[in-house]
């Protein structure tokens, strides 16, 4: 079994797949290392032989997790690294090491799946958009706050904006003008998100007049999928790229 980890700013997304990659055996999302190991301990008949991961955490945090994985599971975790080129895909940053690893892997995964020009939008804590030409050149992209960051900034800097998660979820059932603070904030943030995605679509249409594929990933992808008709929602897109960047010999 292969354990794959996507260690983001807020959560750790994990899954266990079969050795040939054809089956997803276990999967989950946790908010801490301890919760990760609790989840792994609860997985029946778990026998991990390989591990690969991508991390946007600090080097110290990543090294601590890798050491813990070896201690508890007896496997050496292979960590994805920055690269100027993998296969046909070329990193478009002036300094390729500065492109976030999660973005780089999503780019690799999208091009692998599409084999054509692509727009990749990842809707998580932050929202990122990346453009890849038909010949595999990453042309750069954009970053903006995601829904959690927008919500948190408003609640942090505006004293009277306070409501719980259940209220927030209820407010998102429609996008009519809000008649409470929660509705106004939640729906306003979602409309900003949708506007950002709509602009990326226009940019892709201008850049790739001969056609392109759109890939959506991240926890809030469903909030914008109708903005991009025909888009592919690939929840494990980073893991697709991780397998390409860290093949198992």
């Amino acid at each position: 079994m292969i354990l794959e980890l996507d260690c983001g700013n807020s959560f750790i997304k994990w899954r266990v797949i079969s050795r040939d990659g054809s089956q997803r055996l276990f999967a989950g999302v946790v908010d801490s290392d301890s919760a990760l190991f609790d989840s792994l301990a609860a997985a029946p008949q778990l026998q991990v032989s390989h591990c690969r991961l991508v991390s946007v955490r600090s080097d110290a945090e990543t090294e601590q997790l890798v050491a813990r994985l070896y201690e508890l599971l007896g496997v050496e975790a292979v960590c994805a690294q920055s690269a100027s080129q993998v296969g046909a895909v070329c990193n478009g940053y002036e300094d390729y090491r500065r492109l976030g690893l999660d973005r780089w892997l999503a780019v690799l995964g999208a091009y692998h799946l599409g084999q054509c020009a692509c727009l990749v939008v990842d809707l998580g804590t932050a929202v990122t958009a990346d453009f890849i030409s038909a010949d595999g050149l990453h042309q750069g992209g954009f970053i903006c706050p995601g829904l959690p960051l927008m919500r948190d900034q408003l609640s942090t800097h505006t004293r009277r904006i306070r409501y719980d998660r259940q209220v927030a979820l209820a407010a998102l059932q429609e996008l009519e003008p809000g008649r409470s603070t929660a509705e106004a904030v939640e729906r306003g943030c979602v409309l900003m998100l949708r506007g950002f995605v709509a602009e990326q679509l226009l940019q892709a249409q201008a850049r790739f007049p001969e056609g392109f594929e759109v890939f959506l990933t991240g926890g809030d992808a469903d909030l914008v999928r109708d903005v991009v008709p025909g888009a592919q929602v690939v929840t494990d897109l980073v893991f697709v790229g991780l397998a390409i960047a860290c093949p198992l010999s």
Side-chain angles (χ1 to χ4, degrees):
M1 298 179 184
I2 302 170
L3 171 63
E4 297 181 321
L5 303 173
D6 176 5
C7 305
N9 293 302
S10 304
F11 299 100
I12 300 173
K13 186 176 181 181
W14 66 275
R15 71 177 189 177
V16 176
I17 60 175
S18 59
R19 182 64 176 82
D20 62 2
S22 63
Q23 298 180 64
R24 188 171 73 164
L25 306 173
F26 309 102
V29 179
V30 294
D31 59 5
S32 66
D33 291 3
S34 59
L36 168 66
F37 290 110
D38 287 345
S39 297
L40 294 174
Q45 299 180 326
L46 182 69
Q47 295 181 325
V48 175
S49 58
H50 298 81
C51 177
R52 54 192 172 206
L53 65 84
V54 55
S55 175
V56 297
R57 298 170 160 194
S58 69
D59 290 343
E61 289 174 310
T62 303
E63 289 168 5
Q64 184 177 23
L65 176 58
V66 168
R68 190 72 171 147
L69 287 165
Y70 183 77
E71 177 185 344
L72 295 181
L73 300 177
V75 293
E76 294 275 4
V78 178
C79 299
Q81 302 293 327
S82 299
S84 59
Q85 183 170 352
V86 172
V89 182
C90 296
N91 191 317
Y93 260 31
E94 294 177 357
D95 179 353
Y96 71 87
R97 293 164 296 188
R98 303 295 295 176
L99 178 64
L101 280 172
D102 50 349
R103 286 175 66 194
W104 174 234
L105 296 185
V107 164
L108 291 179
Y111 191 78
H112 171 77
L113 295 175
Q115 295 294 306
C116 63
C118 302
L119 165 63
V120 185
V121 184
D122 189 341
L123 298 111
T125 303
V127 175
T128 61
D130 286 283
F131 302 86
I132 310 106
S133 66
D135 60 359
L137 175 61
H138 172 236
Q139 297 184 345
F142 298 96
I143 303 173
C144 76
L147 193 58
L149 283 178
M150 286 191 279
R151 180 190 297 124
D152 290 348
Q153 284 298 301
L154 280 170
S155 63
T156 298
H157 296 286
T158 309
R159 292 182 180 180
R160 292 184 180 273
I161 294 181
R162 297 289 186 275
Y163 50 87
D164 61 28
R165 181 62 180 151
Q166 290 305 117
V167 173
L169 291 173
L172 292 177
Q173 298 305 306
E174 58 180 83
L175 291 177
E176 289 295 311
R179 301 186 66 181
S180 69
T181 299
E183 290 178 350
V185 169
E186 292 297 317
R187 295 172 188 178
C189 290
V190 169
L191 288 175
M192 290 187 71
L193 208 62
R194 291 164 65 87
F196 176 83
V197 173
E199 174 61 27
Q200 305 316 303
L201 183 60
L202 291 175
Q203 292 232 9
Q205 290 168 344
R207 287 177 174 273
F208 311 128
E210 296 182 358
F212 58 94
E213 290 284 345
V214 181
F215 293 90
L216 303 177
T217 191
D220 287 327
D222 284 341
L223 295 176
V224 303
R225 65 188 307 171
D226 63 309
V227 177
V228 193
Q232 297 187 47
V233 179
V234 184
T235 57
D236 289 341
L237 187 59
V238 168
F239 286 140
V240 175
L242 181 60
I244 296 168
C246 301
L248 300 175
S249 55

